[in-house]
Amino acid sequence: QVQLVESGGGLVQAGGSLRLSCAASGSISSMNAMGWYRQAPGKQRELVAAITGGGITNYADSVKGRFTISRDNTKNTVYLQMISLKPEDTAVYYCYADRYSWISSDIISWGQGTQVTVSS
């Protein structure tokens, strides 16, 4: 019932910046938290950042201080501003919508994924 469309991935050099966007449509009222997981080849999927409808955020230790997640509820869109990118940030980033939050997760929708590649 919730559809997520991601954009903003691309190729950037180490130290550069990207902003990911994820627009939700459909049954918006069923969502609380939104955020991104990422998965690099040969690595486990990890939660990168998430934000509740009330603006509470959660970040992976590896990105804290470099990534900022925000949302515009009038546009039903969540953003991930990524600065000081590192090669280890290279992954496919998957936007998700959660009925609750990371504390008690119930993911109800996934985006299609967007590739972020950081060259050294």
Side-chain angles (χ1 to χ4, degrees):
Q1 297 186 88
V2 175
Q3 295 80 46
L4 303 176
V5 179
E6 301 182 55
S7 63
L11 173 64
V12 66
Q13 292 187 343
S17 302
L18 286 172
R19 189 180 74 158
L20 306 184
S21 300
C22 180
S25 61
S27 185
I28 304 300
S29 62
S30 65
M31 302 178 351
N32 182 4
M34 296 180 67
W36 275 269
Y37 280 79
R38 68 185 181 188
Q39 188 161 32
K43 296 180 64 178
Q44 187 177 9
R45 181 194 297 162
E46 67 172 340
L47 178 64
V48 179
I51 184 168
T52 70
I56 300 171
T57 59
N58 185 37
Y59 297 95
D61 288 343
S62 59
V63 308
K64 189 171 293 185
R66 299 187 298 118
F67 291 11
T68 302
I69 190 168
S70 61
R71 66 193 292 170
D72 183 345
N73 289 326
T74 67
K75 299 180 180 178
N76 298 316
T77 300
V78 63
Y79 305 94
L80 186 66
Q81 181 66 55
M82 306 183 293
I83 66 171
S84 302
L85 282 161
K86 304 174 181 180
E88 49 262 48
D89 295 317
T90 296
V92 178
Y93 285 67
Y94 295 94
C95 180
Y96 77 92
D98 198 309
R99 189 179 305 276
Y100 305 113
S101 77
W102 51 92
I103 299 173
S104 184
S105 178
D106 182 13
I107 294 174
I108 59 174
S109 187
W110 290 96
Q112 80 279 11
T114 186
Q115 176 71 48
V116 171
T117 302
V118 184
S119 62
S120 59

